[in-house]
Amino acid sequence: MRYKLSRKLVQKSIGSFLLSLELYNKPTIDYRAESFSLLFSNAWELILKAYIFEQSKGKKLSIFKKKKRNQKRVSISLDECLNKIFDNINDPVRRNIEYISEIRNEAAHLVIIELDPYFSRVFQTGVSNYVSFLKDWFHININEKLNPGLIS
């Protein structure tokens, strides 16, 4: 990675990813699916921003919206990141991220109906996709540092 911001985004993304796994794999937590979806969506948003930033050769407007006078700089959303990276709206990785993001949105604004066996399959696919993209895009093999065990 050429840029300090990219390194920081990837570091925070990995932290969010690992915490999402840790929380989901704790059987005593009632809010597991919701917590996983919140942190996992965040992990993807951060890694996508790092990738976009790297690909743009460090252009701030690649991941930030144009700053308005007297207002704080705002970064692009997860959906905007997905649109920049995945041209095909039917790409299975994109669809998986979008589905988990929908779970996150429901969890953040109301209550989701737990479908643990189904969620665990969707989450497992997302985890595998994340590990693969982290390795492909940033040459980080998270399995070398620890075997996340993924979703148990």
Side-chain angles (χ1 to χ4, degrees), residues 58-120:
K59 292 182 182 159
K60 289 218 185 231
L61 285 178
S62 65
I63 60 171
F64 289 101
K65 296 181 180 182
K66 191 168 177 140
K67 189 177 181 308
K68 295 180 182 173
R69 179 177 282 186
N70 298 324
Q71 291 186 354
K72 186 178 175 183
R73 184 176 295 271
V74 177
S75 67
I76 61 176
S77 68
L78 174 58
D79 290 333
E80 290 169 306
C81 290
L82 291 170
N83 287 334
K84 285 186 174 209
I85 293 177
F86 298 100
D87 296 335
N88 180 359
I89 61 170
N90 293 315
D91 182 290
V93 174
R94 176 184 175 148
R95 290 184 57 148
N96 178 266
I97 297 166
E98 289 173 331
Y99 185 74
I100 295 172
S101 178
E102 287 173 23
I103 295 168
R104 171 198 65 182
N105 293 341
E106 285 183 42
H109 301 292
L110 199 54
V111 175
I112 62 171
I113 298 169
E114 285 279 331
L115 300 169
D116 266 339
Y118 178 72
F119 283 168
S120 65

Side-chain angles (χ1 to χ4, degrees), residues 3-55:
Y3 305 99
K4 182 179 179 181
L5 178 57
S6 300
R7 286 190 296 275
K8 193 71 164 166
L9 288 168
V10 169
Q11 178 186 17
K12 293 290 185 183
S13 174
I14 292 170
S16 187
F17 169 74
L18 292 174
L19 188 55
S20 73
L21 287 178
E22 187 175 325
L23 288 173
Y24 192 81
N25 286 320
K26 286 192 180 234
T28 58
I29 296 177
D30 289 334
Y31 201 66
R32 292 176 339 142
E34 294 90 344
S35 298
F36 177 87
S37 66
L38 288 162
L39 289 164
F40 189 73
S41 295
N42 178 249
W44 266 110
E45 184 173 330
L46 295 172
I47 198 172
L48 293 173
K49 286 177 182 176
Y51 183 74
I52 292 166
F53 192 68
E54 283 288 316
Q55 294 302 303

